[in-house]
């Protein structure tokens, strides 16, 4: 197994920022870049590493517990990291996959994860203090990491990502599910914008792409991590969830397939596919002023396409 320093040297950081020039309507009128967090590591990639990077620090936790569904990118990344760092890990998974484990769960089994399948009623308690107290009694030496890694420490890891972006940009676009990634981006931009001109229109702006049905709900998830004196212009566009979380109609699947066959990197239909579809559609509709500089965050999660 690896030491923490050895593990970190296996990660490609800072992640690449590449120019992106698709043959899309309106794309030639702006400057597009992709922040390739998917390229950090073949397994431990994207915003899942970012959100865990300030939790998995020295001294390492004695054990860890977290939550997710049967295809969770978060559990997959955390399970891999815990295995490599010799941290006993318990995954509490919504639904019983014991007779037909998903590819993600098969990986967790290979990585010696202790798996607990729970029904939806129990899973809904994952943020209840009484239930969390029960887990603390059952696993007294373990840290409890929220679903998706969404906690205050996660925001610092997202800030690290934003701080790596050395080009000037007007907009940064990212998918939104649990809210922490967008909140981390907004908090990082608050610090950037406080050093910029007072003209609100000249500041960096953040656009979230809702990947599930959650208008209002997703905004509240983000706001819980933001200061009351927020200085950054941000919003979530709810036009591109394609019917809900992990819903992938044929047109979205075709888009992802064509993208993967023609572009220098791959996307998947749950997060990145909806984000790039949204950017393409917004460009065609003239949602960005000519000359805008746009960074699209690729949050990884390609394993979920399995």
């Amino acid at each position: 197994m690896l030491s923490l320093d050895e593990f970190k040297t296996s990660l490609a950081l800072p992640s690449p920022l590449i120019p992106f020039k698709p043959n899309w309507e309106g794309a030639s009128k702006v400057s597009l870049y992709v922040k390739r967090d998917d390229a950090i590591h073949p397994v431990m990639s994207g915003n899942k590493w970012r959100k865990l990077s300030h939790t998995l620090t020295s001294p390492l936790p004695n054990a860890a517990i977290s939550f997710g569904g049967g295809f969770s990118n978060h559990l997959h990344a955390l399970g891999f990291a815990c295995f490599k760092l010799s941290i006993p890990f318990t995954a509490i998974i919504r639904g019983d996959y014991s007779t037909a484990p998903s590819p993600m769960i098969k990986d967790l089994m290979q990585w010696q994860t202790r798996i607990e399948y729970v029904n939806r009623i129990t899973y809904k308690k994952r943020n209840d203090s009484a239930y969390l107290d029960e887990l603390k009694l059952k696993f007294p030496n373990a840290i409890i990491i929220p679903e998706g890694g969404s906690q205050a420490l996660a925001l610092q890891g997202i800030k690290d990502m934003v701080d790596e972006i050395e080009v000037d940009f007007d907009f940064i676009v990212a998918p939104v599910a649990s809210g922490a990634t967008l909140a981390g981006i907004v908090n990082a931009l608050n610090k950037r914008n406080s050093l910029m001109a007072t003209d609100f229109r000249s500041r960096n702006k953040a656009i979230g792409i809702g990947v599930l049905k959650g208008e209002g709900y997703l905004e509240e998830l983000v706001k819980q991590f933001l200061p009351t004196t927020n200085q950054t212009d941000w919003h979530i566009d709810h036009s591109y969830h394609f019917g809900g979380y992990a819903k992938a109609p044929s047109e979205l699947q075709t888009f992802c397939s064509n993208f993967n066959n023609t572009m220098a990197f791959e996307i998947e239909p749950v997060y990145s596919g909806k984000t790039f579809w949204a950017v393409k559609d917004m460009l065609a509709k003239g949602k960005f002023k000519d000359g805008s500089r746009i960074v699209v965050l690729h949050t990884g999660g390609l394993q979920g396409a399995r």
Side-chain angles (χ1 to χ4, degrees):
M1 298 304 160
L2 302 177
S3 69
L4 181 59
D5 287 342
E6 289 171 332
F7 181 76
K8 287 185 174 180
T9 59
S10 71
L11 305 176
L13 292 169
S15 64
L17 180 74
I18 64 168
F20 183 51
K21 298 181 179 180
N23 186 24
W24 295 346
E25 182 182 352
S28 62
K29 299 178 181 179
V30 301
S31 296
L32 284 169
Y33 301 88
V34 179
K35 181 61 170 165
R36 292 281 315 278
D37 265 17
D38 62 302
I40 290 174
H41 188 274
V43 178
M44 191 75 185
S45 72
N47 63 340
K48 301 312 175 188
W49 164 248
R50 298 290 189 182
K51 291 195 283 185
L52 292 169
S53 61
H54 286 264
T55 298
L56 300 178
T57 57
S58 184
L60 288 170
N62 294 318
I65 303 169
S66 197
F67 312 86
F71 300 86
S72 168
N73 292 322
H74 163 66
L75 291 182
H76 193 256
L78 181 55
F80 174 79
C82 287
F83 175 65
K84 289 296 185 181
L85 296 169
S86 300
I87 301 170
F89 175 50
T90 299
I92 298 177
I93 295 178
R94 181 185 64 248
D96 187 352
Y97 292 81
S98 56
T99 58
S102 67
M104 187 280 291
I105 293 173
K106 289 179 180 178
D107 284 346
L108 291 185
M109 292 174 171
Q110 207 171 27
W111 298 331
Q112 301 172 15
T113 298
R114 183 181 185 276
I115 295 173
E116 284 196 7
Y117 298 115
V118 298
N119 58 33
R120 291 183 178 272
I121 294 173
T122 301
Y123 193 79
K124 284 183 178 180
K125 300 177 183 178
R126 63 193 179 279
N127 297 316
D128 293 351
S129 57
Y131 176 63
L132 295 177
D133 286 342
E134 289 177 20
L135 290 177
K136 289 174 185 176
L137 288 173
K138 188 175 179 180
F139 304 98
N141 297 318
I143 60 166
I144 300 176
I145 300 173
E147 179 185 49
S150 296
Q151 55 184 334
L153 281 175
L155 275 62
Q156 183 58 45
I158 301 300
K159 180 180 181 298
D160 295 342
M161 179 276 299
V162 176
D163 289 346
E164 291 174 7
I165 301 174
E166 295 183 344
V167 301
D168 291 330
F169 62 90
D170 302 298
F171 300 93
I172 182 167
V173 185
V176 184
S178 64
T181 296
L182 183 58
I185 289 171
V186 173
N187 276 330
L189 295 184
N190 279 334
K191 293 180 172 60
R192 276 196 179 202
N193 289 332
S194 66
L195 301 174
M196 295 175 66
T198 55
D199 181 1
F200 198 72
R201 291 167 298 178
S202 70
R203 295 173 174 174
N204 304 134
K205 301 173 179 66
I207 302 174
I209 305 301
V211 301
L212 51 86
K213 287 184 178 179
E215 189 164 357
Y217 167 71
L218 291 180
E219 282 80 0
E220 290 305 313
L221 290 180
V222 175
K223 287 176 183 177
Q224 68 177 322
F225 293 113
L226 298 182
T228 54
T229 55
N230 173 55
Q231 301 179 56
T232 294
D233 182 3
W234 68 275
H235 73 276
I236 299 174
D237 194 315
H238 295 276
S239 306
Y240 304 103
H241 56 66
F242 284 89
Y245 183 71
K247 299 293 185 183
S250 59
E251 57 184 340
L252 178 59
Q253 292 185 38
T254 299
F255 171 74
C256 292
S257 178
N258 290 339
F259 189 106
N260 294 343
N261 288 332
T262 56
M263 302 297 181
F265 57 92
E266 294 189 352
I267 57 176
E268 44 67 50
V270 181
Y271 297 99
S272 54
K274 292 178 179 180
T275 303
F276 281 92
W277 175 292
V279 171
K280 180 181 180 181
D281 188 64
M282 288 189 287
L283 287 169
K285 291 177 178 176
K287 295 289 183 72
F288 300 105
K289 285 178 58 178
D290 289 0
S292 293
R293 297 154 299 181
I294 305 157
V295 173
V296 186
L297 174 60
H298 193 321
T299 54
L302 295 173
Q303 77 84 27
R306 298 181 297 171

